[in-house]
Every structure is written in structure tokens, then in C-alpha cells.
Amino acid sequence: FLYDVSTTTARQVSPPGDGLESTLFDLPADGGRVLYRAETDDDVFGTYGPWDLRVYDAVLDDTIVVASDVGPWGAALSPDGTTVAFSSPSDLLGSNPDGNVEVYLFRVDGSRREQITDTGVGVENSVGGFTDDGGAVVL
């Protein structure tokens, strides 16, 4: 949910049926977009996942699935709300067959999708966030 302090109103960000386990990752200062992870299968009580990375656009009142089946690792939204950096062991682009936790960079509009790390067995990469100007990702 997003709670607007000035109007004292709340609105649901994750669509109904997103699962019990939704986790906020990032909310830029302007509040226009919210990055969160949503569990996509609630069929078995006590199990978690799989998870999608989703961006809720408050202006359009729309939810965009950025990536599916990413796992429970970290993610960050660029300050301008256009790009998501996230960690995942999934082979999302055909370049991670060994299943290491790698960092990916996806534009919300789908125009850019790339794996930006390629590490050896046992190494887990994590995303710390973007720099204030959005020009670099902190790993």
C-alpha cells in the first residue's frame, strides 16, 4: 500500500492475488514509481515464491512486471524510475547457465535487458542501489 500523508489516504499497490509475500524494495523521492517483489503462488501455505519484480506507476495507476521468477534477492530502482538493478540466480537471458547469483539491469519499458556480472561458483552478487544521479549501480 502507498499512504499519502497529505491526504491521509491509502491505495493498494500490488494487485489482488499478488500473494501474501510482497516486499517493497525502492520508492524514489518523487513517489511516482514503486519497486516491489511479489510472490506469485500462494497455493501452499508456508512456502514462499516464486517472485516477480514489479513496478507500480502511481501516475498511470498501473503495475508493470519487470522480470519473473527472480528469487528473493535484492533490487533497486533508478532515481528517475526507468531502470531496475537486481540480483538473481535465474538464467533470465541465457547467459547464466551455472545459476550463480548475478546482477541484471532491466529498463522498466523492456528496451534494455542485460546481465552485468558473470562470476564463479559460490559468489553471490548483491545490489546496493543506484548513485543519486542514476549513472552507476552500487554492487
Side-chain angles (χ1 to χ4, degrees):
F1 287 88
L2 274 180
Y3 179 77
D4 186 322
V5 176
S6 63
T7 63
T8 66
T9 58
R11 80 170 110 168
Q12 187 169 351
V13 170
S14 59
D18 257 3
L20 297 174
E21 293 294 317
S22 289
T23 306
L24 174 69
F25 278 123
D26 217 345
L27 176 64
D30 69 1
R33 287 187 166 175
V34 177
L35 173 65
Y36 69 99
R37 176 184 70 208
E39 183 183 20
T40 59
D41 184 4
D42 276 346
D43 292 341
V44 180
F45 180 75
T47 62
Y48 299 104
W51 291 280
D52 284 351
L53 277 179
R54 298 183 179 184
V55 170
Y56 171 74
D57 188 312
V59 174
L60 300 175
D61 192 25
D62 189 29
T63 300
I64 303 156
V65 176
V66 176
S68 296
D69 198 19
V70 295
W73 286 266
L77 185 63
S78 63
D80 65 1
T82 63
T83 306
V84 176
F86 62 96
S87 300
S88 177
S90 298
D91 190 10
L92 300 171
L93 303 174
S95 53
N96 191 28
D98 55 13
N100 290 329
V101 178
E102 302 293 355
V103 176
Y104 294 85
L105 199 61
F106 281 21
R107 293 203 35 113
V108 173
D109 67 7
S111 65
R112 178 181 183 184
R113 297 168 50 98
E114 68 179 301
Q115 179 180 322
I116 62 173
T117 63
D118 186 13
T119 55
V121 175
V123 177
E124 289 190 5
N125 293 288
S126 62
V127 173
F130 282 85
T131 55
D132 288 343
D133 67 357
V137 178
V138 180
L139 306 178

